Amino acid sequence: TEDWTKLISLHDIRGLIYCKLKEYTTALQTHKKVLELRRRLPNVQELDMATSYTNIGLVHYYMKQYAEALNFFQKDLNI
C-alpha cells in the first residue's frame, strides 16, 4: 500500500504541473485518475479524497466550468 500511495502522490504532482502549464485537459485526466486510484485503496484517508476533489474542482474552475467546479468543491466540503 505504501508503494501505491507514493505512486498516487506522484500522479497528483503531475496533475498540478499540468495545471500550472495550463494543460487543463491533461490535468483533469490526471487528477481523475488519482481519484480513481485513491478509491481503490483499502485505507484511504478522507483528507486525501478531499484533496482530489479540490484539485479536480480547481481544474474545472480554471477551465471556466463553474458548475462542475462547484460540484467538486461541495464534495470536498461534505467529507
Side-chain angles (χ1 to χ4, degrees):
T1 305
E2 186 176 325
D3 289 340
W4 274 102
T5 303
K6 288 179 184 178
L7 180 64
I8 291 169
S9 293
L10 289 173
H11 280 295
D12 206 21
I13 292 168
R14 281 182 54 230
L16 294 172
I17 291 169
Y18 284 127
C19 197
K20 283 287 189 184
L21 294 171
K22 298 183 180 179
E23 295 181 22
Y24 299 126
T25 301
T26 306
L28 188 58
Q29 291 170 345
T30 304
H31 283 304
K32 285 185 174 184
K33 180 69 174 177
V34 168
L35 180 61
E36 179 185 324
L37 292 171
R38 282 187 170 143
R39 284 182 174 150
R40 293 181 185 180
L41 288 176
N43 299 327
V44 66
Q45 300 292 316
E46 287 185 351
L47 180 59
D48 291 333
M49 293 299 292
T51 299
S52 284
Y53 291 137
T54 297
N55 288 341
I56 293 169
L58 284 172
V59 176
H60 281 295
Y61 176 82
Y62 293 135
M63 294 173 78
K64 298 182 182 355
Q65 298 171 347
Y66 301 119
E68 198 62 24
L70 187 60
N71 179 42
F72 278 94
F73 291 145
Q74 190 61 48
K75 287 181 181 186
D76 179 11
L77 290 173
N78 289 337
I79 291 183

